[in-house]
Amino acid sequence: IIIMNNLSYLLENPLYFSSISLLVNIPYTFYVGNYHLLLTEIPICACSIIYHNKIYHIRKIDIFVGQLAYWQHMYYCNNRISRICWLLCPIIYSISSILNYKKYIRISNFIHSLIHYFLTLGTIYYNYCSQNSLTVFKILSERNTFIPNNNVLNK
């Protein structure tokens, strides 16, 4: 009975799980070496978990940090799939806000949780593309086919 009560409590608000899913981004971003994205990924992850798990009411801070992360990620975006994932988020947020205003709280929370999943997917794919482009650059520079050495320039 205790498990069922806790499970129904968690399923009632999908934002509990979706905000925690943002944690996936941090280690992968660190592993790939996109340290500049960590400046906003760590705060947005912390704020989302704190706010959506009802630890402390920091809604305005969560929105502000979310905006910073959104614009920073869009600035550095290097592929179409991540950009589409991130561009869907303001549209989803608008729909979620309208539903919340009309008192459709459960549907609003479910739709809002999609934002967290799209942000996670977009960031994972961004990091994947960045990792592959860095690997290609590294291979080419090791073979001296991309960056000429001094011997070639002096001849």
Side-chain angles (χ1 to χ4, degrees):
I1 295 174
I2 293 171
I3 294 172
M4 292 303 286
N5 286 340
N6 288 335
L7 185 61
S8 66
Y9 175 72
L10 291 174
L11 291 176
E12 187 174 303
N13 191 350
L15 292 168
Y16 299 135
F17 291 121
S18 67
S19 62
I20 292 171
S21 76
L22 294 170
L23 279 172
V24 172
N25 296 332
I26 295 171
Y28 191 43
T29 301
F30 187 79
Y31 172 76
V32 172
N34 289 328
Y35 305 116
H36 58 283
L37 294 181
L38 292 173
L39 293 173
T40 55
E41 282 182 14
I42 293 170
I44 191 59
C45 183
C47 287
S48 289
I49 290 171
I50 290 168
Y51 176 65
H52 293 299
N53 288 288
K54 299 182 182 352
I55 296 170
Y56 195 72
H57 188 76
I58 54 171
R59 182 174 185 267
K60 290 183 180 178
I61 295 171
D62 185 45
I63 291 171
F64 176 73
V65 174
Q67 282 292 307
L68 286 177
Y70 175 79
W71 289 109
Q72 183 203 26
H73 282 62
M74 288 298 283
Y75 178 78
Y76 288 107
C77 187
N78 61 1
N79 66 75
R80 197 176 340 168
I81 293 174
S82 293
R83 190 173 301 273
I84 290 170
C85 285
W86 296 333
L87 282 173
L88 286 173
C89 293
I91 298 166
I92 294 170
Y93 180 78
S94 299
I95 294 168
S96 172
S97 295
I98 291 167
L99 290 170
N100 192 38
Y101 177 77
K102 298 211 177 235
K103 305 294 183 209
Y104 296 109
I105 305 300
R106 284 189 177 181
I107 297 170
S108 171
N109 286 341
F110 174 75
I111 290 175
H112 185 88
S113 70
L114 294 176
I115 294 172
H116 298 151
Y117 295 126
F118 275 115
L119 291 174
T120 299
L121 288 173
T123 305
I124 287 172
Y125 192 74
Y126 171 82
N127 285 325
Y128 174 77
C129 290
S130 296
Q131 180 182 17
N132 286 342
S133 65
L134 289 173
T135 304
V136 169
F137 178 76
K138 194 182 218 181
I139 290 170
L140 290 175
S141 65
E142 286 173 358
R143 291 183 183 171
N144 292 328
T145 57
F146 187 69
I147 300 173
N149 59 21
N150 288 334
N151 295 335
V152 173
L153 294 175
N154 291 332
K155 288 183 179 180

